[in-house]
Amino acid sequence: MSAELHAVPDTTAMDIKQKQEAYHDWEARTYDEKFSISYDQRCIDYARDRFRKVVPEGAVFHRVLEVGAGTGFFLINLALGDCLGDAALEATDISEGMLEVCRRNGEEHGLTIATRQGDAEALPYEDDSFDLVIGHAFIHHLPVPGAAIREMYRVLKPGGTLVIAGEPTELGDKLSWVVKRNTYRAFRAVTALPGLTQYRKPGIVEAGGSVEDAVLAGLEHEVDLHTFRPADVEKMARLAGFREARVVTEELTANWVGWAVRTIEGAIRPGVLGMRWAFGAFHAYTRLHRFDDRVLARFVPRDVFYNLILHATK
């Protein structure tokens, strides 16, 4: 018992970057499974569609860097979707655990990815090194997102392109919390009925995890630091040095369905839902995504949508 207690990290003594590293090193083992990340047509289409909203076909890149790369979701799926051509692929993240999975995922799909552990606010690369710098759902983890955007500007070559996708808007995130909270309350109410409590997901220790697992999992609620107003992100990019910076937003009803699905999947015992649920949820999301893009985007203000995509040129 004393040995186990000694092994439990004291997260209260960590600064925010140490918490980010510890949490994402721990999360790397199951990250792709948790977020339904894959490297098939479903996720290739998702990544390519995000990219093509701001970068037209025909753009040529020779050296590409993903910052905050995690397990390689965005970089690898863009490469598999023929968005990056024959470019040399590089990735950096504060978590070496994530980069280890990223390298492995790349190798499994015939890609070589050069990785370096590093801080997005002080990138371990020389000035004017890359034609394209990308990121997906990572600057909201950073203490000073503007510092990271300045660093991405620094390592881009003149004429280079920056694309950051998957970041939460301030208003879109508030609306999503209404969906998540009400979905969770409904799930708990239904599974409180006699005979249905067995469908609730057990706690980490109850399911066989360690106390250390439980402590590190608890950091999930501390590592998300920001939501953004689209105009503020454009301003951050211009202050960093980009002359051309534009934010587009997406996902409204699709996001509500997506968060409801993820809330249920995170609360229910593993193995209950099955593939029919997974395919049904995915098709519902894609249909609503098209509805958001083709109909709602015509008249709903961009700040209401959940995800933002920043495109900027040095």
Side-chain angles (χ1 to χ4, degrees), residues 181-200:
R181 182 172 61 248
N182 289 335
T183 301
Y184 184 73
R185 286 175 176 172
F187 176 84
R188 296 290 293 184
V190 170
T191 56
L193 297 173
L196 297 182
T197 55
Q198 62 180 315
Y199 292 110
R200 293 180 177 178

Side-chain angles (χ1 to χ4, degrees), residues 61-89:
F61 307 107
H62 302 287
R63 189 180 179 194
V64 177
L65 171 68
E66 180 169 14
V67 182
T71 58
F73 161 75
F74 202 40
L75 181 67
I76 293 171
N77 279 307
L78 287 179
L80 296 176
D82 199 27
C83 294
L84 307 180
D86 296 324
L89 306 180

Side-chain angles (χ1 to χ4, degrees), residues 72-194:
F73 161 75
F74 202 40
L75 181 67
I76 293 171
N77 279 307
L78 287 179
L80 296 176
D82 199 27
C83 294
L84 307 180
D86 296 324
L89 306 180
E90 303 190 37
T92 184
D93 198 285
I94 199 169
S95 165
E96 181 57 40
M98 285 286 185
L99 291 176
E100 181 181 347
V101 179
C102 178
R103 290 191 296 271
R104 185 167 67 243
N105 284 338
E107 290 168 1
E108 290 175 358
H109 294 88
L111 302 172
T112 299
I113 302 173
T115 63
R116 291 189 196 179
Q117 184 181 18
D119 184 344
E121 296 176 9
L123 291 173
Y125 301 96
E126 296 182 356
D127 297 356
D128 306 331
S129 296
F130 298 93
D131 307 289
L132 172 67
V133 175
I134 60 174
H136 186 275
F138 84 100
I139 65 170
H140 67 279
H141 291 307
L142 305 178
V144 188
I149 293 175
R150 284 197 301 272
E151 279 293 278
M152 289 182 273
Y153 176 87
R154 178 182 64 78
V155 303
L156 272 171
K157 296 177 181 178
T161 299
L162 171 67
V163 176
I164 300 175
E167 298 295 344
T169 67
E170 182 180 276
L171 185 52
D173 186 67
K174 289 178 179 177
L175 293 173
S176 77
W177 271 106
V178 174
V179 173
K180 287 183 277 188
R181 182 172 61 248
N182 289 335
T183 301
Y184 184 73
R185 286 175 176 172
F187 176 84
R188 296 290 293 184
V190 170
T191 56
L193 297 173

Side-chain angles (χ1 to χ4, degrees), residues 142 256 294:
L142 305 178
W256 298 343
R294 297 174 184 178

